[in-house]
Amino acid sequence: MQSNDILINIVRFIALVFIQVLLLNNINLGGYINPFLYIYFILLFPLDGNKSLLIFLSFLLGLSIDIFEDSGGVHAAASAFIAYIRPIVLKYSFGVSYEYKSVKIKKADTTEKITYITSLVLMHHFVMFSLEIFSFKHIPLLLKSTLFSGIFTIVLTMCTMILFNRKSK
Amino acid sequence: MQQIIFFFIRNKNFLLFAVLFIIAIALTIQSHNYHNNKFISSANVVTGGIYTVRNNITDYFTLAKENEDLLQENLMLRKKLSQYKELNLAPTLDSGNILNKFEYYSARVINNNYSKTKNQLTLDKGRSDSIKRDYGVISSKGIVGIVSDVSNNYSTVQSILNTKSRINAKLKKSSHFGSLIWNTKNPNIAQLIDIPRIADIEKGDTIITGGRSTIFPEGVLIGTVKDFHLDNDDNYYYVNIDLFNDMTSLEHVFLIKNNDAIEINELEKGVEDAE
């Protein structure tokens, strides 16, 4: 990681927490659908960055959201989980090119990008909602929340990626 | 020894993840427990401050509705006052000497959520305004929740839209009582369970708080009966209630302190100990 990368990631961390708690948590589309854009930080963390550092930072990121939301540790658990599982998902969605560290997430093939984002977002939402709901009685609600919030998050993540990609060119 | 160290180095990512995951799960489980001091809650200086700044801005957008609500409440209070005057119930004692059973404080909602299964509100009053845990929270239209955590300047409230909440409630006309719960489906509809089968219940009946708890005074408005059916055992009604309060837009609320709460709780605890 270069010093430029470090700065970008610090700014991204703080900006995403604020956007999430002040703006996105109040959308409540259809009563309960909110996007969780803050995992954009985990998705775009440099591929050659330290993996332990990513797990720790993701935990902190989730915990910050939890403190604002009064939700215990559900976001922290889900974020640490996808940070840990990220190398496996990377290998599975980008294939061999990931092994040679030649991939750049922003410039990758669209299909591969969608696979990568979709898998991580759905895993994150599933872990988060199961911990939040925490009861077998509400499994339909769990699946419904995961699906709809997941779609919302994926669309928003793609839009953010396109938006910031164009700027940097 | 060397092998143990190698093992740790090889699996350091997994071990780090496992430790953090367990901490997060512990925090989650602890937050499901109502009567525990929370390590993390939005009633702290940083989050409370940020939410206050946001609210100072967004407050202006709801001014029209707030005014309308205040007008309605004034109207209702005026009507009640004139009724009292007609009844000639003017107080003859110096009211300053009598300790009221309930004391009221006002507060502003600086954060409100209603889309989760365990919803919380954050208020801008805390310990320094003599707010304590277990105070009841109502708005001008009806019941809101119970104070669950307090910091120096902020407090969090467990909303009635929370699967952990169970509040004593009754039918206004017949005083049959049950528990108010929430099935997570709709923020405008709560459920009343354990109403006995013999209760005479109809659509549109008013539901109020029961006064059996030490938190809420008797007769705080909750909502009207939307529909009802017998539960699986055919012994109790399961009632859907249209809440009077719009839980999705709360601005100003009142906190209720019950001056007798400590005495009642100690007395009841004494009875339990004796048994």
Side-chain angles (χ1 to χ4, degrees):
Chain A
M1 275 210 297
Q2 296 150 355
S3 60
N4 193 17
D5 270 350
I6 297 174
L7 186 71
I8 287 178
N9 276 291
I10 291 172
V11 172
R12 196 183 275 155
F13 187 106
I14 296 168
L16 282 171
V17 170
F18 275 88
I19 291 173
Q20 184 66 43
V21 296
L22 296 180
L23 203 67
L24 299 179
N25 280 343
N26 299 309
I27 291 183
N28 294 321
L29 196 70
Y32 61 95
I33 306 167
N34 278 335
F36 295 96
L37 184 67
Y38 71 91
I39 57 170
Y40 186 74
F41 173 82
I42 306 167
L43 296 175
L44 281 200
F45 193 79
L47 294 182
D48 52 351
N50 188 327
K51 281 175 191 131
S52 310
L53 182 70
L54 173 63
I55 296 175
F56 186 68
L57 286 179
S58 307
F59 177 78
L60 279 189
L61 177 70
L63 199 66
S64 327
I65 307 286
D66 276 326
I67 293 173
F68 276 98
E69 281 267 277
D70 280 313
S71 46
V74 299
H75 292 279
S79 305
F81 176 71
I82 58 162
Y84 174 68
I85 211 105
R86 193 179 86 135
I88 300 166
V89 178
L90 276 171
K91 202 182 286 174
Y92 152 84
S93 22
F94 295 107
V96 197
S97 48
Y98 163 68
E99 305 264 286
Y100 295 108
K101 315 256 180 218
S102 60
V103 163
K104 285 218 148 188
I105 295 172
K106 281 186 173 177
K107 295 194 178 99
D109 187 48
T110 320
T111 337
E112 290 173 350
K113 218 157 51 178
I114 290 176
T115 324
Y116 170 63
I117 294 171
T118 310
S119 348
L120 280 188
V121 165
L122 288 183
M123 269 187 249
H124 171 271
H125 284 32
F126 186 77
V127 174
M128 189 192 76
F129 283 118
S130 9
L131 285 176
E132 191 203 299
I133 293 167
F134 216 69
S135 108
F136 290 112
K137 262 196 301 192
H138 297 299
I139 286 177
L141 178 71
L142 162 68
L143 297 177
K144 217 164 59 177
S145 308
T146 308
L147 183 67
F148 291 132
S149 282
I151 293 171
F152 203 170
T153 311
I154 292 163
V155 170
L156 208 61
T157 312
M158 293 302 285
C159 294
T160 318
M161 224 174 246
I162 293 165
L163 197 72
F164 281 92
N165 211 8
R166 192 176 285 166
K167 221 184 206 172
S168 60
K169 265 177 194 171
Chain B
M1 192 62 203
Q2 211 175 15
Q3 288 204 332
I4 297 173
I5 295 168
F6 275 138
F7 172 80
F8 275 111
I9 292 172
R10 221 179 318 125
N11 292 310
K12 67 175 194 296
N13 281 338
F14 177 74
L15 290 171
L16 178 68
F17 160 69
V19 169
L20 294 177
F21 199 74
I22 289 167
I23 293 173
I25 301 261
L27 287 172
T28 310
I29 290 171
Q30 195 225 10
S31 79
H32 289 197
N33 248 335
Y34 173 66
H35 272 288
N36 261 343
N37 270 321
K38 285 176 196 156
F39 292 119
I40 57 164
S41 82
S42 68
N44 65 52
V45 182
V46 180
T47 53
I50 290 169
Y51 277 144
T52 311
V53 170
R54 181 190 66 186
N55 249 62
N56 285 340
I57 299 165
T58 54
D59 257 3
Y60 291 101
F61 299 114
T62 54
L63 273 183
K65 188 186 153 288
E66 261 322 285
N67 275 337
E68 184 64 30
D69 285 351
L70 285 175
L71 211 64
Q72 292 293 339
E73 200 190 354
N74 272 343
L75 194 71
M76 191 195 75
L77 292 175
R78 257 171 209 284
K79 268 186 199 160
K80 278 201 176 154
L81 189 65
S82 65
Q83 280 168 3
Y84 276 119
K85 274 183 185 160
E86 279 170 23
L87 286 169
N88 262 334
L89 279 177
T92 48
L93 287 165
D94 183 1
S95 57
N97 292 335
I98 309 170
L99 196 62
N100 281 327
K101 193 178 175 202
F102 294 102
E103 280 174 44
Y104 291 82
Y105 304 88
S106 75
R108 215 169 58 156
V109 179
I110 55 171
N111 186 42
N112 177 15
N113 49 51
Y114 47 86
S115 58
K116 300 191 287 184
T117 56
K118 296 181 180 63
N119 295 299
Q120 302 263 1
L121 295 91
T122 313
L123 307 182
D124 69 341
K125 290 277 168 73
R127 212 175 287 128
S128 56
D129 309 284
S130 61
I131 305 299
K132 295 205 181 75
R133 192 194 280 182
D134 284 344
Y135 282 13
V137 182
I138 60 172
S139 77
S140 57
K141 287 187 198 145
I143 191 165
V144 173
I146 299 169
V147 175
S148 63
D149 212 3
V150 184
S151 73
N152 272 334
N153 293 307
Y154 302 98
S155 51
T156 54
V157 176
Q158 182 178 312
S159 156
I160 52 168
L161 304 183
N162 188 317
T163 48
K164 288 184 285 177
S165 290
R166 263 182 105 90
I167 290 163
N168 181 269
K170 68 179 185 185
L171 286 166
K172 193 179 179 188
K173 65 174 181 188
S174 65
S175 293
H176 285 293
F177 67 90
S179 300
L180 186 74
I181 57 161
W182 187 53
N183 72 356
T184 74
K185 293 213 172 91
N186 186 330
N188 294 316
I189 296 170
Q191 283 70 35
L192 186 64
I193 55 166
D194 296 344
I195 289 280
R197 193 180 177 161
I198 49 167
D200 175 26
I201 184 169
E202 270 172 63
K203 263 188 198 178
D205 283 353
T206 308
I207 310 288
I208 56 175
T209 54
R212 261 159 219 273
S213 74
T214 52
I215 294 169
F216 291 102
E218 191 179 344
V220 175
L221 292 172
I222 297 176
T224 55
V225 174
K226 184 168 184 278
D227 53 52
F228 56 94
H229 58 81
L230 283 170
D231 68 4
N232 301 334
D233 316 329
D234 278 356
N235 289 324
Y236 295 102
Y237 282 119
Y238 182 92
V239 187
N240 282 312
I241 301 172
D242 267 325
L243 294 172
F244 286 127
N245 241 340
D246 182 1
M247 294 297 288
T248 60
S249 75
L250 290 169
E251 281 293 330
H252 291 93
V253 292
F254 302 101
L255 292 125
I256 306 171
K257 176 191 181 187
N258 184 346
N259 283 318
D260 296 344
I262 297 170
E263 196 181 327
I264 295 171
N265 286 338
E266 268 178 12
L267 189 65
E268 287 178 350
K269 199 167 164 257
V271 173
E272 269 170 33
D273 290 347
E275 279 166 359

